Amino acid sequence: MSKLLIRALDVHDMLQLEGAIDLLESAFADPERYSRARITRELLVDDPPFYRQFFIAIKQGRTVGVGGVKAADWATKTHLLYLSAVAPDMRGQGIARALLAARVEWLIKRFGSGRVLVSTSRTKRFRELGFVEISGSKMEGRTLMRLHFRKKRQRSEKP
C-alpha cells in the first residue's frame, strides 16, 4: 500500500497544477459555474493582502485530492475552505479528512487564531475536527459549519 502525501500545491509545477485542475473540473462537472478557466484562475491568483492556499494529496505519483483555503475578504480572521475534491476511485480512504486536517493545521500555524467556515454535505468529518453547525444554515442539502481556533501556547510563552 502506497503512502499518501499531502503538500501545498506548487503552481509552478505544471504536472501538479494540471492534475489539480483536471481533478477539480471533473469533480464539479458544472461548466457554467466551475469552468476550467475559473478553476485555473482560482488556483493561480495572488491577491495580497488576501491569500489562497491549495493543498494536494498525492498517491503513487498521482494527484488524488485537492483542497483550498482562502481569506474571507469581508471578515477579519475568517478563512474559507473551498474547492475540495477527491478522485472518485480514491474515495473512502481518508484522503478528504487528511486534506481537511492539513488545511486546519496550516491555518493554526500561520494565523494563530481565527475562525474557519465551510459549506458541506459531509458533516461528520468536520465534526471530528471540532467544527460545529451554524444554526439555521442548512440549505439545498448542505450545512454551513464553523471552527474557532487558537494556537496552543507553549509552556515557555508568556500570556
Side-chain angles (χ1 to χ4, degrees):
M1 184 145 178
S2 68
K3 185 177 177 183
L4 180 69
L5 173 65
I6 305 284
R7 68 175 172 213
L9 172 65
D10 177 0
V11 296
H12 302 292
D13 180 325
M14 292 310 293
L15 286 175
Q16 280 188 27
L17 182 61
E18 287 296 321
I21 292 168
D22 289 345
L23 192 132
L24 289 167
E25 184 179 30
S26 66
F28 289 105
D30 181 356
E32 297 274 329
R33 188 164 179 205
Y34 295 102
S35 68
R36 187 172 190 85
R38 177 181 176 213
I39 290 168
T40 302
R41 277 192 311 272
E42 287 290 324
L43 294 176
L44 293 175
V45 75
D46 183 17
D47 189 18
F50 305 109
Y51 72 88
R52 292 177 191 188
Q53 179 66 57
F54 284 87
F55 293 84
I56 56 172
I58 300 169
K59 195 166 191 176
Q60 295 179 325
R62 174 181 161 216
T63 299
V64 296
V66 180
V69 59
K70 66 180 179 177
D73 59 357
W74 42 267
T76 59
K77 292 190 172 191
T78 302
H79 315 276
L80 308 172
L81 299 181
Y82 79 124
L83 286 182
S84 303
V86 172
D89 63 317
M90 301 301 288
R91 292 179 184 157
Q93 297 181 34
I95 296 169
R97 280 180 178 80
L99 279 166
L100 172 59
R103 290 182 286 167
V104 170
E105 180 181 329
W106 181 83
L107 285 167
I108 292 168
K109 284 181 181 176
R110 180 155 184 199
F111 297 101
S113 67
R115 66 184 156 257
V116 185
L117 300 176
V118 65
S119 173
T120 183
S121 60
R122 310 274 182 164
T123 59
K124 182 180 176 188
R125 72 177 61 126
F126 292 92
R127 280 192 195 102
E128 290 171 353
L129 279 176
F131 281 77
V132 295
E133 291 182 27
I134 295 175
S135 179
S137 68
K138 288 186 182 186
M139 185 181 289
E140 298 177 12
R142 301 188 67 79
T143 301
L144 187 61
M145 300 184 80
R146 78 166 178 270
L147 171 72
H148 287 276
F149 66 89
R150 182 172 307 276
K151 188 175 185 176
K152 292 180 181 165
R153 293 184 185 180
Q154 301 296 326
R155 289 181 188 239
S156 62
E157 291 183 39
K158 294 184 179 184

